[in-house]
C-alpha cells in the first residue's frame, strides 16, 4: 500500500502541475464529455485507461465482478443500471464497450461449476451472469484462459444491454453502437466482435468470432 499512497501524495505535483498537463486538468472543472461507456471486470489486471490510452474525462466506467450486466429490473434500484443510464442518457456517450478478459476468475468459476458456498455474495451475483440460454455454461471444456466462455459471456451481456430502455432508444435512433471486446491479460491483445447497432450478436448456431481490432 505504501507505494500507492506515495504516488497519490505526489500525483498533483508530478502530473497535474506539469505544464504539459495543467490545461487539460483545468478543463475538467467544466464537466465531462466521455466518448464511451466501458463496462469491464473488477479484475486488477484490466486497466481500461492503459489499454485504450484514454485520458481523464474520456472514458466512463462500470466495473463489476465478471463484467456482469444485470438484467434490467425497473423499478428496483440498481447501481449498475444507474451508471448505464447516466452515461447513455445524460452524458450522451456514442459507444458502449463490454470488455471481458482472459483468465477471468468469475467466468472460470461458472464454467468449472466451482462451489461458491463460502462466498455467497459472489455466488448470487454470478447467478446474474447466466443468461436463459446458459451461454457460458454450454461452452466447454474450459481452457485456463477460459477464452471461449468469456467471449460467449461478453456477447450475452451485450444482449442484456439492449433491454435497457435508455439503450434501446439510442439504438433505435442510430446514435449508439455496442461493442464486445476480449482482452488477453498476459499479452495485451484486444480482439472484438463486429460492432453492432441492431442485429443480435448471437444468431442461432453461430459461435462468437472475435478478431483483432
Ligand atoms: Zn474477471
Amino acid at each position: 500500500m505504501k507505494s500507492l499512497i506515495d504516488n497519490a501524495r505526489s500525483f498533483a505535483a508530478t502530473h497535474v502541475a506539469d505544464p504539459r498537463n495543467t490545461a487539460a486538468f483545468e478543463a475538467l472543472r467544466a464537466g465531462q464529455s466521455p466518448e464511451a461507456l466501458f463496462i469491464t471486470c473488477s479484475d486488477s489486471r484490466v486497466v481500461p485507461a492503459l489499454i485504450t490510452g484514454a485520458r481523464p474525462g474520456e472514458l466512463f466506467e462500470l466495473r463489476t465482478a465478471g463484467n456482469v450486466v444485470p438484467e434490467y429490473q425497473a423499478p428496483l434500484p440498481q447501481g449498475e443500471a444507474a451508471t448505464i443510464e447516466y452515461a447513455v442518457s445524460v452524458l450522451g456517450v456514442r459507444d458502449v464497450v463490454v470488455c471481458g478478459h482472459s483468465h477471468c476468475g468469475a467466468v472460470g468459476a461458472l464454467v468449472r461449476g466451482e462451489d461458491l458456498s463460502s462466498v455467497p455474495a459472489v455466488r448470487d451475483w454470478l447467478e446474474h451472469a447466466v443468461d436463459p440460454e446458459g451461454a457460458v455454461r454450454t461452452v466447454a471444456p474450459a481452457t485456463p484462459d477460459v477464452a471461449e466462455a468469456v467471449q460467449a459471456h461478453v456477447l450475452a451481456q451485450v444482449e442484456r444491454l439492449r433491454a435497457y430502455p435508455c439503450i434501446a432508444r439510442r439504438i433505435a435512433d442510430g446514435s449508439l453502437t455496442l461493442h464486445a471486446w476480449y482482452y488477453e491479460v498476459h499479452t495485451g491483445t484486444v480482439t472484438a466482435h463486429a460492432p453492432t447497432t441492431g442485429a443480435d450478436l448471437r444468431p442461432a448456431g453461430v459461435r462468437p468470432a472475435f478478431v483483432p481490432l
Side-chain angles (χ1 to χ4, degrees):
M1 189 67 192
K2 183 177 184 309
S3 68
L4 301 180
I5 293 172
D6 287 345
N7 280 319
R9 187 176 284 142
S10 63
F11 180 69
T14 57
H15 290 275
V16 183
D18 185 325
R20 292 169 295 181
N21 300 327
T22 304
F25 276 95
E26 179 60 28
L28 298 176
R29 202 195 282 269
Q32 59 172 326
S33 185
E35 291 186 31
L37 167 63
F38 198 92
I39 302 173
T40 193
C41 186
S42 302
D43 194 296
S44 61
R45 295 166 294 184
V46 181
V47 185
L50 194 62
I51 298 168
T52 63
R55 305 215 6 114
E58 294 181 344
L59 214 53
F60 202 72
E61 293 182 28
L62 171 61
R63 305 196 65 153
T64 67
N67 45 268
V68 171
V69 174
E71 284 186 82
Y72 187 73
Q73 293 181 20
L76 296 177
Q78 281 184 318
E80 298 80 16
T83 300
I84 292 165
E85 188 176 70
Y86 190 76
V88 170
S89 297
V90 179
L91 298 176
V93 298
R94 299 190 62 82
D95 296 271
V96 180
V97 179
V98 180
C99 182
H101 68 97
S102 70
H103 307 86
C104 182
V107 174
L110 280 172
V111 295
R112 290 188 290 267
E114 292 177 5
D115 177 9
L116 298 173
S117 56
S118 64
V119 281
V122 175
R123 177 197 62 203
D124 294 348
W125 172 249
L126 292 182
E127 282 299 312
H128 285 281
V130 183
D131 70 82
E133 297 170 21
V136 173
R137 287 185 172 163
T138 58
V139 176
T143 53
D145 61 4
V146 290
E148 289 195 346
V150 168
Q151 291 168 6
H153 171 64
V154 166
L155 295 180
Q157 306 317 297
V158 169
E159 292 312 311
R160 282 228 178 114
L161 280 174
R162 295 181 195 283
Y164 282 65
C166 58
I167 299 267
R169 276 194 296 274
R170 293 282 309 279
I171 287 179
D173 68 20
S175 64
L176 188 72
T177 303
L178 305 180
H179 306 259
W181 286 14
Y182 173 74
Y183 174 67
E184 210 167 62
V185 297
H186 58 298
T187 65
T189 303
V190 180
T191 52
H193 201 279
T196 178
T197 53
D200 191 313
L201 286 169
R202 295 175 300 139
V206 177
R207 297 175 69 84
F210 282 67
V211 295
L213 281 172

